[in-house]
Amino acid sequence: IEGCGKPTQVERLAKRLAKEGHETLTLREPGGTPIGEAIRDVVKFPPGHNPISPDTELLLMNASRAQLIQQAIRPALTNGAVVLCDRFYDSSLAYQGHGRGLDLVKVQKAIDLAIDGTKPNLTLLLDIPLSVSQARVSDRHQSTGEGQDQFDQAGDAFFERVHAGFHVLAKGEPERYRVIDGTQSPEAVAEVVWDCVEPLL
Ligand code: TMP
């Protein structure tokens, strides 16, 4: 969830992989391509403050994902690179499925259309309680002056469902998921992240 330290950890991991001689591509979702970044702006800050329907949100997230997979992820994998992605399709299941309440089968269908079989080897869930998430997000807004996006305004009950949803996903696929305590220092989290990633290299 928001404020768990994903960008920091992705950056640290990318640096460590590069130091160890691995070609690495770092991406984020929604975004990661010019088309995806334009979609990111629309889903985070819907034009004219129009409420975005949950179905539209689901399709836009997966449109960004389809573009990312075709334009960036598959070519990088073909070239033997390690691909690190800040969020992936689990966020659609957690946010649009568990959070917005869309049927999980429908969400999975949209994901399947976007990914067409491209799946991660490993998914790291940086776990923080909701109270820590809220405090970190509010600090970030104060220090950067960054405005709230439409997810930041979704309310506690929404984020409780998203948080619980991620845990359901992690329990359902223990071989793909590792759950990491994201309340530790960034250095300590980075060490656990490395311990999870290294055996796969
Ligand atoms: P973030 O990358 O700064 O966390 O912002 C992305 C926002 O988009 C975040 O609130 C989670 C949300 N999101 C979804 O709702 N569904 C998705 O599939 C993805 C990738 C992100």
Side-chain angles (χ1 to χ4, degrees):
I1 54 174
E2 275 65 6
C4 70
K6 293 175 274 81
T8 308
Q9 292 303 326
V10 167
E11 198 187 318
R12 279 173 176 263
L13 179 57
K15 279 194 184 138
R16 188 141 183 194
L17 284 164
K19 213 170 102 191
E20 304 273 333
H22 297 279
E23 191 169 325
T24 306
L25 178 66
T26 299
L27 301 166
R28 68 172 179 180
E29 277 205 334
T33 64
I35 291 172
E37 290 295 324
I39 294 173
R40 180 182 178 91
D41 282 345
V42 172
V43 287
K44 289 189 83 152
F45 302 98
H49 302 287
N50 287 284
I52 189 162
S53 91
D55 283 338
T56 307
E57 195 174 79
L58 173 68
L59 292 169
L60 286 174
M61 293 294 179
N62 282 285
S64 168
R65 182 164 297 134
Q67 187 66 28
L68 189 71
I69 286 179
Q70 288 171 38
Q71 189 177 338
I73 295 181
R74 285 208 193 120
L77 293 176
T78 303
N79 289 332
V82 178
V83 177
L84 305 180
C85 201
D86 177 342
R87 296 191 181 276
F88 203 41
Y89 58 73
D90 310 84
S91 286
S92 290
L93 290 159
Y95 282 76
Q96 283 67 56
H98 293 271
R100 301 284 190 222
L102 291 181
D103 176 23
L104 290 171
V105 174
K106 181 160 105 173
V107 175
Q108 190 61 56
K109 276 188 188 156
I111 290 170
D112 289 342
L113 182 67
I115 65 172
D116 197 21
T118 299
K119 294 187 171 175
N121 296 100
L122 176 69
T123 299
L124 303 175
L125 178 61
L126 303 184
D127 188 32
I128 52 170
L130 213 52
S131 54
V132 174
S133 166
Q134 287 159 339
R136 287 184 183 175
V137 169
S138 119
D139 282 355
R140 187 169 67 203
H141 285 143
Q142 274 178 10
S143 63
T144 62
E146 188 185 298
Q148 283 199 333
D149 66 38
Q150 57 113 359
F151 291 99
D152 295 326
Q153 294 159 7
D156 295 356
F158 173 80
F159 282 105
E160 268 159 26
R161 292 195 296 277
V162 171
H163 185 262
F166 273 123
H167 282 279
V168 171
L169 294 168
K171 283 209 182 80
E173 277 186 83
E175 61 299 332
R176 173 165 69 91
Y177 261 96
R178 302 285 179 279
V179 182
I180 298 174
D181 175 3
T183 63
Q184 306 172 86
S185 70
E187 293 72 26
V189 174
E191 280 310 310
V192 184
V193 166
W194 185 249
D195 290 345
C196 296
V197 171
E198 198 182 15
L200 295 182
L201 297 172

